[in-house]
Structure formats: structure tokens, C-alpha cells
Amino acid sequence: MSAEHAGPLRVVAVTYSPGEALEGFVTSLAEATTRPVEVVLADNGSTDGVPEDVAARHPQVRLLRTGGNVGYGAAVNAGLAGAAGRYALVANPDVRFEAGAVDELLAVAARWPRAATVGPAIRTPEGELYPSARDLPRLSTGAGHALLGWAWPGNPWTARYRREREAPRERTAGWLSGSCFLVDLEAFRAVGGFDPGYFMYFEDVDLAERLGRAGYLHVYAPSAVVVHEGGHATRREPHRMQRVHHTSALRYLAGQYPGRRNAPLRAALRAGLGGRMLVSYVSGRVAAGARFQRRADDVGRAARRTRTP
């Protein structure tokens, strides 16, 4: 066994009263990889007792209390601290891994030595393909997607940003969804990990942008598949999550246009995103955003048969 694959693979999940989904997350890992794993539950203040119960029943699971609801990125940083080996896996606790998914991510990573992150195809429970491998948001695509995506999901700006018109294939992406990805620990540490200034949302976009500037790649691997339920935090606190989503978007986009000469643009971004946030409070369609545009029928084994390096 190579040095980079020696020892257990660190798997980090951030928990916040995750409910019964956490048991499925842990048990599905057994079919997803032949490697031993050490699962760290970076707990942000759960009150349902589930992380404690799962850790007590599974010897490979360790509970790490972060000290409060410190946010997603900060909790992942804590969970990855001290991890050995080259790679670790970061995933939401409501993810279920399909057979061989983690081993497939490791195999793809071996083909792309400059990959800082490798992400699977993410299937919804309804069989839709979540657009998890996107281009970095730019002003034009971001504005078009935010303004039109909820009403016209197939608009050209959303299509360019989410790349849903392409058949799933192994390729590079601007960023990969933080709900599940394999990460190169050396690359992650080289850029300082997640920015804890993002409480939730856009921390994965920001990380990908910084890794890209450092010369690393992000690789989409639809030959590996996970199923993600999603929406737990949004259902519990919809208005708060909409506020966090829009403020995180503002933080990221405004950061791309620094300096005094870009102050009017940043003010326009603040006004536009603030207006959309208020509309999302009263419109479920706006809050939900653009509907997914593909079925997840050509991922997993189908993607392996049509692989194009």
C-alpha cells in the first residue's frame, strides 16, 4: 500500500441535530470503500442526541465538539486538523454513498495529480442530478442566474454557470459542492483551509477559487455516486438560511471586486442581493431557485463505461 493510502481515511461530517440520516451515512461507508475509515463528527451543538448515539455504537466514529454553532467551514477545519495521509473526505451527514463511491473518487484522484478536490455525481432521492460541478460565478452569469433561474431554469446564464446541458463526464470544474468531496490535505492546508468568515454557503466556492489561484484543479467524477437528501437546515430555519445564503453570496462576489473604484459595483450587488433576499422570504419559488435539469441516469457505472480522460 502506498504511503498516501496508508492508514485509515479521515471522513469529516459536520453535524447539527442530523436526525436518523446520520446512521445511513456511517453504514453506507462500509460499501463505499475497502479502506478503513475514521469518521469525525464535527458537532456544532446538536441537541437530538444522535451524534453521541452513533459514535457510541460505531468504533470508527469519533465525536468532536466544536464549542457551538461555529459554521460549516470552521467545523470542517476542526475535523480535518491532524488528519494523516494525502486525502480526506468531507461530506454532509445526510449523504448516502453508493457502492464503491469513495474508492472511485480515490482512483480518479490518482489520474489527476494536480486535483485539490474530486467530487462525485450527487443524486437526489427523486433521481435528479444535482449540478454539483459548476463554473466559478462571475458577475454576468451570477446576475442572470439569480434573477431568472427561479422562473426560467434553462436560461443561458444558469446553463453556462451550472453546465447542465453537458452529459456527465470526468472533467475539471470551477468549483465542486462542499456537500461531498475528496480533498488533497496538502493543498487544503496550503491555502489555509475553509475561510471561517463564511458561516454557511459559498465557503466551497471561495475555497475552490483560492485553490485555483494556487494552481490546483477541481475534478468532477460522475463515475462515483452519492445520494444527498439536503435541505435540513433550510427547512428548520428558512428565513435565516435565505439571509445567510445571500450575505455569503455578497461576501464572495464583493471580494472579487475590491478597491475604491469598485465601490459603486459593490453597492449595486448589495442592493440587488438584498432585494432578492426579501423577495425570497415571501416566494417559495424564488427561495428554491432554479430546478434541476437532468435525470441521474448516466452516472455511476454508465459514466465509467463512457469515461473520457
Side-chain angles (χ1 to χ4, degrees), residues 124-144:
T124 71
E126 296 75 32
E128 296 174 307
L129 183 64
Y130 177 75
S132 60
R134 310 186 185 191
D135 285 350
L136 286 172
R138 303 300 181 194
L139 196 59
S140 60
T141 54

Side-chain angles (χ1 to χ4, degrees), residues 196-285:
Y198 291 90
F199 177 77
M200 192 173 176
Y201 304 113
F202 276 82
E203 69 285 310
D204 42 11
V205 184
D206 170 77
L207 175 68
E209 195 271 339
R210 288 184 285 117
L211 285 164
R213 278 192 278 117
Y216 293 99
L217 301 175
H218 310 287
V219 176
Y220 179 48
S223 50
V225 181
V226 303
V227 178
H228 184 209
E229 182 177 340
H232 284 197
T234 302
R235 287 193 294 269
R236 282 185 294 203
E237 301 177 283
H239 285 182
R240 183 187 181 213
M241 290 301 100
Q242 284 298 323
R243 183 171 66 253
V244 170
H245 185 273
H246 285 84
T247 55
S248 292
L250 176 62
R251 176 186 174 92
Y252 175 79
L253 289 171
Q256 302 303 301
Y257 300 96
R260 293 181 60 183
R261 69 187 182 92
N262 286 317
L265 176 57
R266 294 195 299 274
L269 284 168
R270 183 181 298 275
L273 285 166
R276 190 186 186 283
M277 178 182 69
L278 293 175
V279 173
S280 74
Y281 286 172
V282 297
S283 171
R285 285 189 65 194

Side-chain angles (χ1 to χ4, degrees), residues 98-109 111-112 118-123 129 168-171 219-226 298-308:
E98 294 203 347
V102 175
D103 283 345
E104 181 65 14
L105 290 177
L106 289 164
V108 172
R111 293 198 291 272
W112 296 79
V118 180
I122 299 177
R123 178 185 286 146
L129 183 64
R169 62 184 176 85
E170 192 172 303
R171 61 171 174 83
V219 176
Y220 179 48
S223 50
V225 181
V226 303
D298 45 1
V299 297
R301 291 180 180 175
R304 292 176 207 178
R305 289 195 297 268
T306 59
R307 178 181 293 145
T308 55

Side-chain angles (χ1 to χ4, degrees), residues 6 19 28 33 39 46 62 88 96 105 152 173-174 181 186 229 280:
S28 69
T33 180
V39 180
S46 294
R62 172 166 63 92
R96 286 178 182 258
L105 290 177
W152 180 20
F181 61 58
E186 182 179 351
E229 182 177 340
S280 74

